[in-house]
Amino acid sequence: DTGVSQNPRHKITKRGQNVTFRCDPISEHNRLYWYRQTLGQGPEFLTYFQNEAQLEKSRLLSDRFSAERPKGSFSTLEIQRTEQGDSAMYLCASSGGREGGGYTFGSGTRLTVV
Amino acid sequence: AQTVTQSQPEMSVQEAETVTLSCTYDTSESNYYLFWYKQPPSRQMILVIRQEAYKQQNATENRFSVNFQKAAKSFSLKISDSQLGDTAMYFCAFMKTILTGGGNKLTFGTGTQLKVEL
């Protein structure tokens, strides 16, 4: 197992287009998280899954954002009708669900909306 | 809502010296977890150290240690014998317990950019 994998690493898209990112967590981890990080800021929580169930969504996650984790394995984050304000690094992380356990992060997908 | 404050946007230290990064947080919870994460340039975020709030003893991991002051809501990171590879952005983070609805969700500070110089 090589850790948490995110694809693509970089994505440039025109405003109004839809984009989808993929995250493959560590296989034995049942929790998966999505965070967004803008320049000069710490990561901000977007949503998380326990197995295939999406248990919490941030108010940051507008109706244009949707995340799925079919069969409790990989996850996808889709942004519809992208806006320039969506430009950010999108981080995925997974954990084993141990109370207070740390995450393993992926390298992120950097989205640029032009 | 919990907040995490890192008041030092940038710091520098000479190689082999010791540096302390500050972090304060605000919460009404009595039990929680605190973390320091390291984010090297263009690389993924890595867990440096973890502290459980109900433990009095400060956590240590090799050259990294924390000074956890629960009453003051302070959680500073000390890096001893600094190395060039320690150059990175360091984030302090807070996590509520599952019993208080935390869901293992992290709240991050804005980060401190540390540069280790020769």
Side-chain angles (χ1 to χ4, degrees), chain B residues 64-117:
Chain B
F64 299 88
S65 62
V66 299
N67 182 5
F68 173 49
Q69 301 290 327
K70 190 173 184 180
K73 298 180 182 176
S74 170
F75 183 60
S76 60
L77 175 69
K78 185 170 83 171
I79 306 174
S80 304
D81 185 25
S82 297
Q83 301 175 359
L84 294 178
D86 295 333
T87 293
M89 180 73 87
Y90 287 80
F91 291 99
C92 178
F94 174 99
M95 179 188 288
K96 291 168 65 174
T97 66
I98 290 176
L99 281 176
T100 57
N104 277 28
K105 181 176 67 179
L106 285 169
T107 300
F108 287 87
T110 53
T112 295
Q113 178 64 52
L114 176 67
K115 184 177 181 182
V116 180
E117 300 171 328

Side-chain angles (χ1 to χ4, degrees), chain A residues 34-54:
Chain A
W34 285 99
Y35 282 76
R36 181 170 67 187
Q37 185 178 20
T38 53
L39 200 61
Q41 300 295 316
E44 296 174 295
F45 171 78
L46 292 178
T47 188
Y48 91 94
F49 294 82
Q50 179 161 314
N51 300 314
E52 65 275 13
Q54 188 174 18

Side-chain angles (χ1 to χ4, degrees), chain A residues 16-107:
Chain A
Q17 297 293 304
N18 299 345
V19 294
T20 301
F21 311 140
R22 177 176 169 128
C23 173
D24 289 88
I26 292 174
S27 56
E28 59 265 30
H29 284 179
N30 61 350
R31 290 186 178 226
L32 185 148
Y33 310 82
W34 285 99
Y35 282 76
R36 181 170 67 187
Q37 185 178 20
T38 53
L39 200 61
Q41 300 295 316
E44 296 174 295
F45 171 78
L46 292 178
T47 188
Y48 91 94
F49 294 82
Q50 179 161 314
N51 300 314
E52 65 275 13
Q54 188 174 18
L55 296 187
E56 188 174 347
K57 291 172 60 173
S58 165
R59 283 168 291 183
L60 291 175
L61 218 62
S62 75
D63 291 344
R64 296 185 297 107
F65 288 71
S66 62
E68 294 182 343
R69 193 184 181 196
K71 303 178 183 178
S73 56
F74 71 92
S75 176
T76 58
L77 177 68
E78 181 183 17
I79 309 174
Q80 296 182 328
R81 304 180 303 281
T82 51
E83 301 173 356
Q84 286 189 321
D86 297 331
S87 295
M89 176 75 84
Y90 290 84
L91 298 171
C92 176
S94 68
S95 75
R98 168 194 167 206
E99 165 88 359
Y103 297 173
T104 300
F105 279 89
S107 298

